Amino acid sequence: MTTICKADYYYGALLSALVNGGLAPALFEKENDNRQIYEVTTNKASYIIYTKYNTTPSGSKDFTWSFSFSDNEIEEITKIHQENNKEKEFIFAFICGQKQLSDYNQVIAIVYWDEFLECVDIEKEQVRGTARLSVKAVKGSPWLRIYGSKRADRLDGKDNTIKIERNRLGNL
């Protein structure tokens, strides 16, 4: 009998959303619980989806989830992008959950490659700690906000985040 891991619940949320949207994802590769990679083909395009989850948001009114990337993960991401650049669109799905599944403010943020590059310094040109992307859900807003180790959330006192639609998953 297979043991159910905590990660299965969060990756299952993405799979459920994909299947309920009429898609049939295939597991591309599985090495550890830190991330999953899926291949999905829609009537619009074929995708490779690099997926991570976080269940410990910060904030009390607006929630922010931070996703860190090790050097090995950055190498893996770069390699996957280079190998599949022409055939499939490489995107990210950040599963923003909470430890209590009944909590209402849980989202899946779909981030495109160019947005990821604006937030995460994969070339390590700026030394500002660990490579990271953060997803912020502002209560009542139709947008999620992303930023990271390469892009500050505020610049000169103004919002510097990239705003992305909450419902991108349904638009694949």
Side-chain angles (χ1 to χ4, degrees):
M1 178 174 244
T2 303
T3 304
I4 297 174
C5 303
K6 178 174 79 167
D8 294 333
Y9 290 101
Y10 298 103
Y11 295 127
L14 173 65
L15 293 175
S16 176
L18 291 170
V19 170
N20 288 336
L23 305 177
L27 186 61
F28 178 70
E29 178 182 353
K30 178 174 175 41
E31 287 182 13
N32 60 47
D33 284 342
N34 292 335
R35 59 98 184 108
Q36 293 272 339
I37 301 171
Y38 300 99
E39 287 187 14
V40 175
T41 299
T42 70
N43 59 356
K44 296 178 185 175
S46 292
Y47 302 93
I48 292 180
I49 305 175
Y50 189 97
T51 307
K52 289 186 83 153
Y53 77 91
N54 182 328
T55 60
T56 54
S58 62
S60 56
K61 179 182 149 209
D62 300 328
F63 293 112
T64 302
W65 294 265
S66 290
F67 298 87
S68 299
F69 297 89
S70 68
D71 289 344
N72 289 340
E73 286 176 305
I74 293 294
E75 286 177 26
E76 176 184 50
I77 287 167
T78 303
K79 181 180 175 188
I80 293 169
H81 181 261
Q82 290 170 347
E83 289 175 355
N84 297 288
N85 191 1
K86 305 289 184 218
E87 300 168 21
K88 299 174 180 77
E89 187 173 351
F90 188 33
I91 61 176
F92 299 83
F94 295 103
I95 302 165
C96 305
Q98 295 188 41
K99 289 181 181 172
Q100 298 299 320
L101 294 178
S102 62
D103 291 340
Y104 68 94
N105 206 2
Q106 302 186 72
V107 296
I108 298 174
I110 300 297
V111 176
Y112 297 116
W113 176 253
D114 59 332
E115 295 166 335
F116 180 79
L117 291 180
E118 285 186 51
C119 295
V120 180
D121 184 16
I122 66 169
E123 301 294 327
K124 300 180 187 171
E125 294 171 355
Q126 303 172 3
V127 180
R128 290 185 10 183
T130 305
R132 172 188 50 80
L133 183 135
S134 295
V135 177
K136 183 175 187 176
V138 176
K139 189 174 182 179
S141 173
W143 305 97
L144 298 171
R145 291 162 170 77
I146 59 171
Y147 59 96
S149 53
K150 184 178 177 182
R151 182 186 191 103
D153 61 335
R154 301 202 62 78
L155 192 60
D156 297 326
K158 296 181 181 175
D159 183 14
N160 189 46
T161 60
I162 299 171
K163 292 176 184 64
I164 64 172
E165 304 87 2
R166 284 184 185 246
N167 63 347
R168 275 189 173 174
L169 191 60
N171 296 328
L172 294 183

